[in-house]
PDB file of all heavy atoms in Angstrom:
ATOM      1  N   SER A 680     -11.684  -3.851  -9.652  1.00 83.00           N
ATOM      2  CA  SER A 680     -10.479  -3.305  -8.990  1.00 83.00           C
ATOM      3  C   SER A 680      -9.987  -2.049  -9.629  1.00 83.00           C
ATOM      4  O   SER A 680      -9.291  -1.267  -8.965  1.00 83.00           O
ATOM      5  CB  SER A 680      -9.350  -4.348  -9.024  1.00 83.00           C
ATOM      6  OG  SER A 680      -8.828  -4.512 -10.357  1.00 83.00           O
ATOM      7  N   LEU A 681     -10.396  -1.688 -10.813  1.00 86.00           N
ATOM      8  CA  LEU A 681      -9.999  -0.510 -11.572  1.00 86.00           C
ATOM      9  C   LEU A 681     -10.430   0.774 -10.700  1.00 86.00           C
ATOM     10  O   LEU A 681      -9.664   1.653 -10.582  1.00 86.00           O
ATOM     11  CB  LEU A 681     -10.571  -0.369 -12.886  1.00 86.00           C
ATOM     12  CG  LEU A 681     -10.117  -1.407 -13.911  1.00 86.00           C
ATOM     13  CD1 LEU A 681     -10.857  -1.337 -15.278  1.00 86.00           C
ATOM     14  CD2 LEU A 681      -8.631  -1.295 -14.062  1.00 86.00           C
ATOM     15  N   GLY A 682     -11.668   0.746 -10.128  1.00 80.00           N
ATOM     16  CA  GLY A 682     -12.178   1.873  -9.471  1.00 80.00           C
ATOM     17  C   GLY A 682     -11.637   2.109  -8.108  1.00 80.00           C
ATOM     18  O   GLY A 682     -11.398   3.163  -7.661  1.00 80.00           O
ATOM     19  N   ILE A 683     -11.267   0.978  -7.408  1.00 78.00           N
ATOM     20  CA  ILE A 683     -10.811   0.970  -6.083  1.00 78.00           C
ATOM     21  C   ILE A 683      -9.302   1.143  -5.939  1.00 78.00           C
ATOM     22  O   ILE A 683      -8.797   2.008  -5.226  1.00 78.00           O
ATOM     23  CB  ILE A 683     -11.371  -0.192  -5.166  1.00 78.00           C
ATOM     24  CG1 ILE A 683     -12.828  -0.273  -5.240  1.00 78.00           C
ATOM     25  CG2 ILE A 683     -10.815  -0.089  -3.814  1.00 78.00           C
ATOM     26  CD1 ILE A 683     -13.515   0.917  -4.546  1.00 78.00           C
ATOM     27  N   VAL A 684      -8.646   0.379  -6.739  1.00 84.00           N
ATOM     28  CA  VAL A 684      -7.112   0.232  -6.555  1.00 84.00           C
ATOM     29  C   VAL A 684      -6.341   1.208  -7.453  1.00 84.00           C
ATOM     30  O   VAL A 684      -5.328   1.744  -7.034  1.00 84.00           O
ATOM     31  CB  VAL A 684      -6.725  -1.269  -6.872  1.00 84.00           C
ATOM     32  CG1 VAL A 684      -5.224  -1.393  -6.748  1.00 84.00           C
ATOM     33  CG2 VAL A 684      -7.486  -2.229  -6.022  1.00 84.00           C
ATOM     34  N   TYR A 685      -6.835   1.375  -8.782  1.00 88.00           N
ATOM     35  CA  TYR A 685      -6.001   2.222  -9.686  1.00 88.00           C
ATOM     36  C   TYR A 685      -6.484   3.625  -9.940  1.00 88.00           C
ATOM     37  O   TYR A 685      -5.944   4.219 -10.848  1.00 88.00           O
ATOM     38  CB  TYR A 685      -5.960   1.383 -10.982  1.00 88.00           C
ATOM     39  CG  TYR A 685      -5.318   0.041 -10.783  1.00 88.00           C
ATOM     40  CD1 TYR A 685      -6.048  -1.123 -10.887  1.00 88.00           C
ATOM     41  CD2 TYR A 685      -4.019  -0.081 -10.524  1.00 88.00           C
ATOM     42  CE1 TYR A 685      -5.481  -2.381 -10.759  1.00 88.00           C
ATOM     43  CE2 TYR A 685      -3.406  -1.268 -10.359  1.00 88.00           C
ATOM     44  CZ  TYR A 685      -4.101  -2.434 -10.423  1.00 88.00           C
ATOM     45  OH  TYR A 685      -3.550  -3.688 -10.254  1.00 88.00           O
ATOM     46  N   GLY A 686      -7.425   4.115  -9.167  1.00 82.00           N
ATOM     47  CA  GLY A 686      -7.867   5.485  -9.443  1.00 82.00           C
ATOM     48  C   GLY A 686      -6.797   6.577  -9.208  1.00 82.00           C
ATOM     49  O   GLY A 686      -6.668   7.368 -10.054  1.00 82.00           O
ATOM     50  N   ASP A 687      -5.968   6.370  -8.177  1.00 84.00           N
ATOM     51  CA  ASP A 687      -4.980   7.356  -7.903  1.00 84.00           C
ATOM     52  C   ASP A 687      -3.889   7.212  -8.876  1.00 84.00           C
ATOM     53  O   ASP A 687      -3.354   8.300  -9.445  1.00 84.00           O
ATOM     54  CB  ASP A 687      -4.402   7.085  -6.444  1.00 84.00           C
ATOM     55  CG  ASP A 687      -3.489   8.133  -6.037  1.00 84.00           C
ATOM     56  OD1 ASP A 687      -3.346   9.161  -6.695  1.00 84.00           O
ATOM     57  OD2 ASP A 687      -2.790   7.960  -4.957  1.00 84.00           O
ATOM     58  N   GLY A 928       0.444   6.635  -6.210  1.00 85.00           N
ATOM     59  CA  GLY A 928      -0.785   5.695  -6.220  1.00 85.00           C
ATOM     60  C   GLY A 928      -0.363   4.262  -6.015  1.00 85.00           C
ATOM     61  O   GLY A 928      -1.165   3.407  -5.691  1.00 85.00           O
ATOM     62  N   ALA A 931      -0.783   3.374  -2.488  1.00 80.00           N
ATOM     63  CA  ALA A 931      -2.203   3.135  -2.154  1.00 80.00           C
ATOM     64  C   ALA A 931      -2.744   1.858  -2.790  1.00 80.00           C
ATOM     65  O   ALA A 931      -3.611   1.174  -2.291  1.00 80.00           O
ATOM     66  CB  ALA A 931      -3.011   4.250  -2.819  1.00 80.00           C
ATOM     67  N   LEU A 932      -2.107   1.407  -3.935  1.00 83.00           N
ATOM     68  CA  LEU A 932      -2.418   0.060  -4.568  1.00 83.00           C
ATOM     69  C   LEU A 932      -2.134  -1.061  -3.525  1.00 83.00           C
ATOM     70  O   LEU A 932      -2.944  -1.928  -3.357  1.00 83.00           O
ATOM     71  CB  LEU A 932      -1.535  -0.062  -5.793  1.00 83.00           C
ATOM     72  CG  LEU A 932      -1.592  -1.351  -6.555  1.00 83.00           C
ATOM     73  CD1 LEU A 932      -1.127  -1.082  -8.059  1.00 83.00           C
ATOM     74  CD2 LEU A 932      -0.681  -2.448  -6.109  1.00 83.00           C
ATOM     75  N   ASP A 935      -4.726  -1.134  -0.618  1.00 78.00           N
ATOM     76  CA  ASP A 935      -6.022  -1.420  -1.036  1.00 78.00           C
ATOM     77  C   ASP A 935      -6.158  -2.838  -1.564  1.00 78.00           C
ATOM     78  O   ASP A 935      -7.278  -3.143  -2.088  1.00 78.00           O
ATOM     79  CB  ASP A 935      -6.595  -0.536  -2.078  1.00 78.00           C
ATOM     80  CG  ASP A 935      -6.803   0.993  -1.482  1.00 78.00           C
ATOM     81  OD1 ASP A 935      -6.977   1.099  -0.309  1.00 78.00           O
ATOM     82  OD2 ASP A 935      -6.670   1.964  -2.271  1.00 78.00           O
ATOM     83  N   PHE A 939      -9.768  -7.013  -3.202  1.00 80.00           N
ATOM     84  CA  PHE A 939      -9.782  -8.017  -4.234  1.00 80.00           C
ATOM     85  C   PHE A 939      -8.689  -9.026  -4.190  1.00 80.00           C
ATOM     86  O   PHE A 939      -7.596  -8.827  -3.477  1.00 80.00           O
ATOM     87  CB  PHE A 939      -9.668  -7.268  -5.566  1.00 80.00           C
ATOM     88  CG  PHE A 939     -10.647  -6.204  -5.816  1.00 80.00           C
ATOM     89  CD1 PHE A 939     -10.298  -4.834  -5.550  1.00 80.00           C
ATOM     90  CD2 PHE A 939     -11.989  -6.486  -6.164  1.00 80.00           C
ATOM     91  CE1 PHE A 939     -11.281  -3.815  -5.689  1.00 80.00           C
ATOM     92  CE2 PHE A 939     -12.900  -5.493  -6.377  1.00 80.00           C
ATOM     93  CZ  PHE A 939     -12.655  -4.189  -6.120  1.00 80.00           C
ATOM     94  N   ILE A 944      -5.907  -8.284  -9.175  1.00 90.00           N
ATOM     95  CA  ILE A 944      -5.165  -6.952  -9.327  1.00 90.00           C
ATOM     96  C   ILE A 944      -3.954  -7.133 -10.262  1.00 90.00           C
ATOM     97  O   ILE A 944      -3.719  -6.163 -11.035  1.00 90.00           O
ATOM     98  CB  ILE A 944      -4.673  -6.649  -7.881  1.00 90.00           C
ATOM     99  CG1 ILE A 944      -5.828  -6.352  -6.986  1.00 90.00           C
ATOM    100  CG2 ILE A 944      -3.622  -5.501  -7.856  1.00 90.00           C
ATOM    101  CD1 ILE A 944      -5.527  -6.110  -5.536  1.00 90.00           C
TER     102      ILE A 944
END
Side-chain angles (χ1 to χ4, degrees):
S680 69
L681 295 176
I683 301 297
V684 178
Y685 297 111
D687 188 10
L932 177 154
D935 291 333
F939 303 97
I944 292 174

